[in-house]
Amino acid sequence: MEVKLLSSVFGLSPISSERVTATRLRTHRVRAINSLAPKTHVGVRRIIEYQNGAATIMKVVEKSPYSEAETASSDLHKSLSDFLEEARDFVGGDDDGPPRWFSPLECSSRAQGSPLLLFVPGIDGTGLGLIRHHKKLGEVFDVWCLHIPVRDRTPAKDLVKLIERTVRSENYRFPNRPIYLVGESIGACLALDVAARNPNIDLALILANPATHVNYFMSQPLVGMLNVLPDGVPTLLEDLFVLYCFLWYNTGDPLAAMLDALTNELAVHQMSGVGGGILKDLFAVSAHLPTLSRIFPKDTLLWKVELLKSAVASANTHIYAARAETLILLSGRDQWLLNEDDINRYSRTLPKCIVRKLKDNGHFLLFEEGVDLVSIIKYTCFYRRGKSHDHISDYIMPTRYELKKQLDDHKLLIDATSPVYLSTLANGKLVRGLEGLPSEGPVLYVGYHMLLGLELGPMITQVLKERNIHLRGMAHPMLFINSEVTFVDTQLLDKYKILGGVPVSNFNMYKLLQSNSHVLLYPGGIREALHRKGEEYKLFWPEQQEFVRVASKFGAKIVPFGVVGEDDICKLVLDGDDQRNIPILKQFMEEATKQAGNLREGDETELGNQDCYIPGLVPKIPGRFYYYFGKPIETAGKEQELKDKDKAQEFYLQVKSEVEQCIDYLKMKRESDPYRHLLPRMMYQASHGFSSEIPTFDL
């Protein structure tokens, strides 16, 4: 296959077959390589038994790749400084010729069947706007980036046609594969135009700070200064002016931005001992003024402003014809090209639109720390390989760093409660740790839901860390609502999606067990998680044996488990009954219940009429969480037997009884735990080290 490679130090391969006339481009013949996803190398854990003083290795257990997630480094290592470094070689000399596509070599490790992602750049035109995300995006997408040379003067309508030709060509080649259009600023306008012109092609738009309007109060002075700037201005003065324009474009007020950066960065430095963020980027930009001057010479800047105006006008005119599902990433500190009223209009006009607000970020959010595009796609369930998102087949496992972020989010709860995990071996022996959990699926974990699901985060992360078992939790569909008009901030629900939550339904449970997954099910659901006063540790299971037959069809093991500890960390003082007597809270509760929907339509019991509300809690000096996983119950070979309704009901009640026994055992045994309360645990760790495992009651 003959392709054109840019002569640069970082290896980018154009995909476009269009004729290129630039003197710095060379044509090479390269061999197509079938890339494989990198393998994860894991260690081993030896279980040793001592007999008569002699050590015997009983078995060797593979060590989880997540076992040291706390020390994981960020998945994204490049920054604005790296962008400017590589852009220097990318646009060096005479960067001319027509616009063209290239695929970064960092994106070569994609999995088979990955969807196509076309990146349309912003005002810089280099196509390197996703440089921080190339490696991670390349594992799940086939990434192409559009490069618009500095001297190119292709009007907006022709750029749209160029992108459209590529979209139609790739859709013809792979009609069942979605095409993602990622546009930044001006590029977002072009992507919207392409979607409007092709409503029948399966497109997914990701628009990063789309240029919805031009702030003439800020742009006209810049254009005026550019027009009066002499062509022969000294290089240093021109560089400084470009820096000023760059900062104005990013923040709207360079001086205020620098003062804000200084105060914020000093605060960060005082708290964490490290610097970064805006101040770091300001220094990076200052160190690369000549590169900025090559990317934005005077005539190019003037042309970009005109390109911006025409692109914005065209997108605003044609947006009503767009039918693509859309994810809008909206910065809270972009003051030039964004207007929240326009974004609200976009979200109402586009049929399937998600708006994700990043309130602490500026205009160039794809370069900023803390913004991980792949993680955001996971959080919003926006990744798919087919016509619609499949929560099972389209799910992407968390990286070690993503798990670290979840551990950090739950660190206070985990450290305060020092969870104790008990499991039961196949021979019935109770052991501390999770060794008793079955390694091979399908497995169905059935248990008790604590208030607000407080047990979920510590449990799922610990099972993943210790055993490399990924629990796919069956969750209420309201956790997957991306609308802003919800009774809770949707970004608080990110953890359920990144950790593998799936909307609860018989069909999804069927598919998970069919794929040999480890499935987490709470039959009591939201009724247990939002229980009333005096109802802690009481099971609210439906009368029907809903999960028994599905589990038996695939011979899944059923692991009953119980968890206690909610009454040791908080006291419920305002439950649903109390809130119904307070008019304001009653109205809020009714609206929340309406948004959540009814999963048990037609059920006349209280399970079919569960209210959604935010309970009023008073914290306590934290006690301890205890988890007890019972002996796995086999269903293999019982499919025919459990088709009988009475037999299935008997089996169902057996599982429920096992869960109740787990809870009763923990409630009894915790009374004899000398480290149940916080002070003894703190004293133990002070003398044995804060990473030491704290003892518990005798088993």
Side-chain angles (χ1 to χ4, degrees), residues 349-419:
T349 303
L350 296 167
K352 293 172 285 186
C353 183
I354 302 169
V355 178
R356 179 99 177 176
K357 292 185 177 180
L358 307 169
K359 61 180 181 180
D360 296 325
N361 296 98
H363 183 80
F364 296 106
L365 63 88
L366 296 176
F367 291 123
E368 297 185 26
E369 296 289 340
V371 178
D372 185 332
L373 185 55
V374 174
S375 292
I376 291 174
I377 290 172
K378 293 180 184 181
Y379 294 148
T380 51
C381 300
F382 205 71
Y383 183 76
R384 58 187 176 89
R385 298 179 180 89
K387 294 295 181 183
S388 61
H389 176 77
D390 187 310
H391 288 278
I392 290 90
S393 61
D394 288 330
Y395 175 70
I396 306 170
M397 284 287 289
T399 64
R400 292 175 70 245
Y401 184 70
E402 287 170 340
L403 181 61
K404 177 185 183 299
K405 291 178 67 176
Q406 294 304 312
L407 290 168
D408 291 344
D409 289 344
H410 292 94
K411 181 175 176 57
L412 181 60
L413 179 63
I414 294 172
D415 290 348
T417 58
S418 303

Side-chain angles (χ1 to χ4, degrees), residues 406-481:
Q406 294 304 312
L407 290 168
D408 291 344
D409 289 344
H410 292 94
K411 181 175 176 57
L412 181 60
L413 179 63
I414 294 172
D415 290 348
T417 58
S418 303
V420 175
Y421 297 93
L422 308 176
S423 61
T424 310
L425 303 179
N427 60 8
K429 181 181 178 181
L430 182 64
V431 296
R432 184 168 185 185
L434 300 171
E435 184 185 343
L437 302 187
S439 299
E440 302 296 328
V443 183
L444 181 63
Y445 298 79
V446 183
Y448 166 71
H449 221 350
M450 282 209 302
L451 185 65
L452 293 176
L454 292 171
E455 82 286 354
L456 272 172
M459 179 176 71
I460 293 178
T461 53
Q462 183 64 25
V463 172
L464 192 54
K465 276 180 54 186
E466 185 176 333
R467 290 297 312 278
N468 196 23
I469 292 174
H470 191 207
L471 299 180
R472 302 297 305 274
M474 306 299 294
H476 196 288
M478 70 177 176
L479 302 182
F480 300 87
I481 298 174

Side-chain angles (χ1 to χ4, degrees), residues 88 218 282 285 350 368 396 404 421 460 491 519 596 689 698:
R88 177 187 61 196
M218 298 171 67
L282 290 178
V285 170
L350 296 167
E368 297 185 26
I396 306 170
K404 177 185 183 299
Y421 297 93
I460 293 178
Q491 295 191 32
V519 185
D698 294 330

Side-chain angles (χ1 to χ4, degrees), residues 290 295 528 568:
I295 297 175
E528 287 176 0
D568 270 356

